[in-house]
Amino acid sequence: MFQLQYKRIYLEKKHVFRIAGGTRTNTPAILIQLQFENHTGYGEASMPPLYGEDFQTAEAFLKRVDLTSFKDPFNTEDILNYIDTIAPNNPAIKAAIDIALHDLIGQILNIPLHSYFGLKPKNLATSKTIGIDTPKIIEERVQEASDFKYLKVKLGSELDEEIINTIKSLTNQPLFIDANQGWKSKEEALEKTNWLKENGAVFIEQPLPKTALDELSWLAAQSPLPIIGDEGIQRFSDLKNASNFYHGINIKLMKSTGLREAYKMAQTAKMMGLKVMLGCMSETSCAIGAAAQLGALADWIDLDGNLGIKNDPFKAHHVENGIIHVNNKAGVGLLNPNWDQIPTL
């Protein structure tokens, strides 16, 4: 029989985090422990305010979860279809259950999840995120990220030019650009994209509001750089028309409801000729460890969410010089998790 427990936690950020949509110093999260017989799996729901989930919505959802009719943890399709139909939306808390279930399966089989999904282990060069800030703070963040192959730069404000000029005065690291829907018109987006290409940008993530479909279609046809959908691509159903507006998609477990759907999204996107990026929120090593298991499917990796928090209760894959060394531990790759020692609110 399944037993599910959860804990509340605030993930405290090492630095104030600013993007085009706002500023925060922490992120509410729910940690999941899922037990079946003598095996245990762990999962996580990270819930930035932008996406509409919080402790109350997550706990209300969990109160409706009843796994007593399921006798086999390997019956993932039926279990996760049931979870998905409990209520609309709620992707992060659904992802927490999905991750915990897959971690549990990995523990039972004693294999890492990349093997479960039929993927080869791959060391991953993740980007390091630079938020919107003053030149002094930007300089500090760039210096901290000097060992990383890529920088992910948050734009979408009146500080765009200042931020890029500051970064380019310090480094020639290639840049992943994320405008977080912050640019106001297709003309502005194209002008900035041309300029950013000259300044080492690799791609542009969500340059315009996700609802500006005509403008995004025009921009995708004109852009000298790949346009990547983030807010505009949440779940598998969003892939249907994605190639009309984007050249690639940013898959995040907290948007996709977890590993099962993220895997399907990545495989389908590749068949459609779309680039695949694996991204994250502020997350612990549990969710980051889970996403890293799908790294072989990605063209670009942005899995640094655990590196930006002060109170990660888990340990998983070792990161050195910006490289995630995906381990061969069972499940998501956690190292000696201790549920009882995790503080809760």
Side-chain angles (χ1 to χ4, degrees), residues 131-151:
I132 296 172
D133 226 310
T134 64
K136 181 177 183 300
I137 299 298
I138 295 288
E139 181 175 350
E140 292 175 3
R141 302 293 175 266
V142 170
Q143 291 171 348
E144 291 172 0
S146 61
D147 290 337
F148 286 72
K149 182 177 180 180
Y150 303 102
L151 299 180

Side-chain angles (χ1 to χ4, degrees), residues 193-206:
T193 299
N194 281 309
W195 173 67
L196 287 163
K197 184 177 187 296
E198 296 173 359
N199 282 278
V202 177
F203 59 74
I204 310 294
E205 188 179 345
Q206 206 63 58

Side-chain angles (χ1 to χ4, degrees), residues 8 79 117 142 169 190 305 325 343:
R8 289 183 172 195
I79 294 171
F117 284 108
V142 170
S169 72
L190 181 59
H325 295 269

Side-chain angles (χ1 to χ4, degrees), residues 50 59 99 113 116 167 253 275 284 313 322 325 331:
L50 177 66
E59 290 175 347
I99 294 167
L113 287 177
Y116 175 76
I167 291 172
L253 300 189
K275 294 290 187 180
T284 77
H325 295 269

Side-chain angles (χ1 to χ4, degrees), residues 33-55:
Q33 178 181 260
L34 185 63
Q35 295 175 302
F36 184 83
E37 296 179 346
N38 61 336
H39 297 283
T40 303
Y42 296 94
E44 169 188 354
S46 175
M47 301 175 290
L50 177 66
Y51 287 90
E53 291 185 82
D54 54 29
F55 291 138

Side-chain angles (χ1 to χ4, degrees), residues 165-333:
N165 288 339
T166 299
I167 291 172
K168 295 307 295 182
S169 72
L170 300 167
T171 182
N172 287 318
Q173 288 160 283
L175 308 178
F176 297 172
I177 301 298
D178 185 2
N180 282 115
Q181 307 183 86
W183 294 336
K184 306 305 181 187
S185 70
K186 62 183 183 183
E187 291 82 9
E188 178 191 11
L190 181 59
E191 181 180 355
K192 289 195 173 185
T193 299
N194 281 309
W195 173 67
L196 287 163
K197 184 177 187 296
E198 296 173 359
N199 282 278
V202 177
F203 59 74
I204 310 294
E205 188 179 345
Q206 206 63 58
L208 294 165
K210 64 180 183 179
T211 55
L213 298 182
D214 289 343
E215 291 82 358
L216 282 165
S217 179
W218 180 89
L219 180 62
Q222 304 291 328
S223 175
L225 290 173
I227 304 298
I228 309 300
D230 181 9
E231 288 88 349
I233 303 292
Q234 305 283 326
R235 300 197 56 181
F236 184 83
S237 59
D238 296 320
L239 284 179
K240 181 179 180 181
N241 299 311
S243 58
N244 293 336
F245 317 111
Y246 305 108
H247 305 110
I249 62 171
N250 185 354
I251 299 173
K252 297 177 180 177
L253 300 189
M254 298 303 128
K255 296 187 303 178
S256 73
T257 71
L259 284 159
R260 179 187 69 146
E261 190 154 323
Y263 175 80
K264 293 177 181 178
M265 290 177 71
Q267 293 282 30
T268 302
K270 292 172 77 69
M271 288 189 288
M272 294 172 64
L274 292 166
K275 294 290 187 180
V276 172
M277 176 183 179
L278 282 178
C280 64
M281 315 296 188
S282 293
E283 297 169 6
T284 77
S285 292
C286 179
I288 296 296
Q293 301 292 336
L294 302 181
L297 296 173
D299 298 283
W300 301 299
I301 301 293
D302 178 38
L303 295 177
D304 67 334
N306 58 328
L307 305 179
I309 62 174
K310 297 185 290 186
N311 59 332
D312 190 347
F314 297 107
K315 292 183 179 180
H317 314 301
H318 177 62
V319 181
E320 185 176 6
N321 297 328
I323 303 297
I324 302 173
H325 295 269
V326 179
N327 65 43
N328 282 308
K329 298 292 185 181
V332 305

